[in-house]
Amino acid sequence: MDIQHKEREDRGVFYMKGDNGIISELTYSKDKDAVITIDHTETKIPEEGKGFASRLVAHTVTFARENGLKINPLCPFAEVQFDRNPDFKDVLA
């Protein structure tokens, strides 16, 4: 399943769509200091436990690396992912 991205100047979302619309999404805000704050992750209940939200966090880390950004994992799920993945520390704000 492909990860899609929409972004405007100060907000963005990474998401995955299934047959019935968006099944998982991660939203963030971006400040003037090149820090993106992950403020929300959500997966529709029937799709929970399949690793979609974890893939979105990992994709956001890759996006941050490619764009010279740092990440503030404000969302509790994202925070846990950063705690579990020491290789994400290079982009931690």
Side-chain angles (χ1 to χ4, degrees), residues 6 33 41 46-47 54 60 77 92:
K6 288 184 182 178
D33 297 321
T41 56
E47 305 298 335
S54 297
T60 305
F77 180 83
L92 188 61

Side-chain angles (χ1 to χ4, degrees), residues 22-76:
I22 294 175
I23 60 169
S24 189
E25 69 179 7
L26 176 153
T27 61
Y28 65 88
S29 60
K30 186 165 52 171
D31 70 18
K32 64 184 181 316
D33 297 321
V35 174
I36 58 177
T37 298
I38 299 174
D39 51 34
H40 180 70
T41 56
E42 181 178 359
T43 300
K44 301 296 182 197
I45 292 173
E47 305 298 335
E48 286 181 351
K50 297 180 182 178
F52 295 129
S54 297
R55 283 185 54 205
L56 290 174
V57 172
H59 187 82
T60 305
V61 168
T62 300
F63 175 79
R65 287 178 180 143
E66 291 173 350
N67 292 281
L69 302 169
K70 295 291 184 180
I71 297 175
N72 172 16
L74 180 64
C75 162

